[in-house]
Amino acid sequence: MIQPLVYKFGGASIKDANAIKNIGALVKKRWTTGLVMVVSAAGDTTDRLEHLIDLALKQQSFDKELIQLLDYHEDICRGLFHPGHGVFARVDNQFAQLRRTLENLSLKADGDFFYDQVIGFGELISTRIIQEYLCELGCACLWQDARELVRTDSQTKMAKVDWALTMQYCRRALFPKLEKFPVVTQGFIGTDLLGNTTTLGREGSDFTAAIMGVSLGASSVTIWKDVAGILNGDPDIFPEAVKFEYLDFEEAAEMTYYGAKVIHPKTIKPLAKHGIPLYVKSFLNPDAAGTVIGSFGQAPRIPITIFKSKLTLIELRILDLSMIGGFHFELIYEVAKKMNWRIQLVQASAAHIAVLIDDMPSTEEQLARPFREVFKVKSKSGLKMITVKNPTVAERSHYRQVAEKLYLEQNGPELIQWVYEESSPEA
Ligand code: ASP
Ligand code: MG
């Protein structure tokens, strides 16, 4: 039996005809049986689809924007195929379906459901183009609808994967195909039990690559990016940032949790569980080594700096002078679970608990309501956090100054975090 191998290509890697030619050459050079290519929407298509959805939901005309998006894709096709190639009809056909979906009034009753039915067209279209183009290059491959593989619950915009079903469908559908041809499929989308399209959350294609890798027992998963690999800081802010050759799963998972944007946070856990190495490599320099994330145990103690923004700090002060106990935490975690908070940090002292969460569209009053009997609540949104792992003395003093208007500080030998007001300069 063949051992599959997964490649993931994001929007930037296929943003125009030249970018796709580059990916074509990259893939052709590495052409092998068992290859599964997970592809996202071209360029900023998903953002543009979000805008179309917005217009449609507001009953405003989306004609101009839809035609611009069609033009963008036709432009790409003109740069890759001779006129009259079958791909033009395929893309037109997808756009006709997209238009019908956008016009379908009954779908609009539930905005988030409507979103899921529309947003995946970016991937459905881009994968058609990539598959046809690879065939043109002499790399015969098959187009696969990812919705036949990735099975989820019905939660809108952020569906949960049914792993048992997904593994079964992936193996059954893909193994026979992969014996003969590599496969091109979409990131980001799945189907629920009713057959409706679901999505895995923005930037979810990395996660799809991990799902495919785990389901098929792949030898590795490679995410092709426009950066050299994983660096110990954002290179736009730290020109001297260095690249990791190796990174342990645990360290990489922590980095994405603290806000590093190189890989989608959900990607690492399933791969770690199954011991499948994850390569992060540059599509601009594909022969360079990149970073490999795997089970390497002890991580190198290099300082790592990560910024995260759009955070809300909730400060809870106990009303009745009883000191903090299990009950207080229980209440907080209960509310957190019910409200789907993404908790970044919790800090407690005798009568005071601070909880830092990802920004949510709730008012101060809504945040405070469930706690009214027990805590006095204050909240502040629009905050930013710097996390420094393995900090040196120089880092400690440098960032302490950056985070001038400080709201919260966490300070340990291996990790420092500062939560501060968003408007402060970064470095
Ligand atoms: N196209 C989707 C997005 O931009 C999924 C992805 O690219 O990972 O969010
Ligand atoms: Mg994208």
Side-chain angles (χ1 to χ4, degrees):
M1 203 156 86
I2 42 143
Q3 188 171 29
L5 155 89
V6 180
Y7 280 180
K8 184 259 168 170
F9 297 106
S13 71
I14 54 162
K15 67 177 194 294
D16 55 32
N18 278 334
I20 294 177
K21 284 182 184 166
N22 174 54
I23 295 305
L26 180 162
V27 171
K28 187 169 183 171
K29 199 169 156 197
R30 293 162 180 78
W31 201 241
T32 167
T33 45
L35 181 61
V36 177
M37 289 161 275
V38 174
V39 179
S40 0
D44 61 353
T45 299
T46 308
D47 291 332
R48 291 162 76 165
L49 285 168
E50 280 190 349
H51 183 51
L52 282 167
I53 291 167
D54 231 36
L55 292 172
L57 284 173
K58 288 191 204 131
Q59 311 292 349
Q60 290 172 7
S61 161
F62 49 76
D63 237 48
K64 191 178 98 212
E65 287 79 2
L66 184 62
I67 289 167
Q68 283 168 351
L69 194 58
L70 172 63
D71 281 348
Y72 166 63
H73 283 88
E74 284 189 332
D75 240 21
I76 292 181
C77 291
R78 275 192 291 273
L80 298 173
F81 304 95
H82 59 82
H85 187 285
V87 75
F88 289 96
R90 286 230 158 89
V91 169
D92 270 358
N93 183 13
Q94 289 286 340
F95 269 91
Q97 278 183 48
L98 169 59
R99 176 182 286 278
R100 265 200 306 280
T101 313
L102 282 166
E103 283 167 352
N104 189 336
L105 273 179
S106 65
L107 281 181
K108 291 180 201 166
D110 175 348
D112 287 348
F113 178 79
F114 178 65
Y115 177 98
D116 279 349
Q117 308 318 303
V118 175
I119 200 79
F121 271 97
E123 274 76 9
L124 291 167
I125 297 164
S126 68
T127 47
R128 284 284 179 207
I129 298 173
I130 300 294
Q131 183 252 346
E132 295 276 3
Y133 180 64
L134 288 173
C135 290
E136 282 281 299
L137 288 184
C139 301
C141 55
L142 302 172
W143 185 87
Q144 168 71 48
D145 191 329
R147 293 170 298 184
E148 290 169 13
L149 310 175
V150 179
R151 297 291 159 143
T152 70
D153 68 2
S154 300
Q155 195 182 322
T156 46
K157 286 184 144 178
M158 188 67 81
K160 279 211 188 63
V161 174
D162 180 329
W163 281 94
L165 267 188
T166 299
M167 282 194 187
Q168 195 181 318
Y169 281 99
C170 276
R171 301 181 86 88
R172 199 163 60 199
L174 291 182
F175 272 122
K177 291 182 181 166
L178 289 172
E179 294 285 346
K180 298 198 180 83
F181 298 107
V183 165
V184 175
T185 193
Q186 306 80 41
F188 185 46
I189 54 174
T191 331
D192 68 5
L193 286 173
L194 301 169
N196 294 314
T197 302
T198 54
T199 55
L200 304 174
R202 284 300 309 263
E203 309 302 330
S205 296
D206 290 355
F207 184 36
T208 303
I211 295 170
M212 299 283 163
V214 165
S215 298
L216 299 170
S219 55
S220 67
V221 172
T222 304
I223 298 186
W224 293 95
K225 308 257 329 169
D226 56 2
V227 290
I230 298 190
L231 309 182
N232 73 334
D234 182 340
D236 290 340
I237 306 170
F238 307 102
E240 72 288 6
V242 293
K243 189 195 69 157
F244 290 99
E245 304 269 317
Y246 302 92
L247 201 55
D248 193 73
F249 281 126
E250 205 181 309
E251 188 105 12
E254 260 182 47
M255 285 174 73
T256 62
Y257 176 75
Y258 293 136
K261 288 192 198 68
V262 199
I263 13 183
H264 189 273
K266 284 189 185 161
T267 313
I268 294 165
K269 193 171 135 197
L271 293 173
K273 192 170 154 201
H274 292 84
I276 298 171
L278 174 64
Y279 291 85
V280 178
K281 293 182 53 139
S282 165
F283 58 76
L284 300 169
N285 188 8
D287 292 327
T291 297
V292 53
I293 305 170
S295 307
F296 300 116
Q298 188 60 43
R301 289 190 50 85
I302 299 174
I304 303 169
T305 307
I306 304 151
F307 287 95
K308 182 157 189 156
S309 48
K310 299 206 187 106
L311 298 166
T312 296
L313 182 67
I314 307 166
E315 294 196 78
L316 305 142
R317 194 165 288 285
I318 297 172
L319 285 175
D320 64 0
L321 289 186
S322 62
M323 293 299 114
I324 262 177
F327 159 77
H328 298 106
F329 284 105
E330 236 169 59
L331 174 63
I332 292 170
Y333 287 119
E334 212 174 90
V335 174
K337 201 167 155 201
K338 212 159 74 214
M339 315 262 269
N340 254 326
W341 285 355
R342 260 184 279 175
I343 298 184
Q344 295 297 330
L345 194 161
V346 178
Q347 205 179 61
S349 53
H352 171 257
I353 304 177
V355 185
L356 184 72
I357 63 172
D358 283 357
D359 263 351
M360 296 215 311
S362 330
T363 61
E364 184 148 15
E365 151 66 19
Q366 284 166 331
L367 276 175
R369 201 173 301 143
F371 299 110
R372 226 168 5 208
E373 317 269 285
V374 184
F375 295 111
K376 183 168 182 281
V377 183
K378 247 176 49 190
S379 65
K380 168 90 187 153
S381 55
L383 296 176
K384 198 160 183 168
M385 176 168 68
I386 309 176
T387 301
V388 186
K389 281 206 70 187
N390 309 324
T392 60
V393 175
E395 256 114 18
R396 281 178 195 273
S397 59
H398 175 65
Y399 294 114
R400 180 63 188 82
Q401 282 159 19
V402 172
E404 193 187 311
K405 191 142 189 271
L406 203 58
Y407 275 77
L408 194 74
E409 176 168 8
Q410 189 125 275
N411 208 330
E414 282 174 20
L415 185 80
I416 346 174
Q417 296 184 300
W418 291 285
V419 178
Y420 61 104
E421 194 124 42
E422 180 102 83
S423 53
S424 313
E426 282 185 338

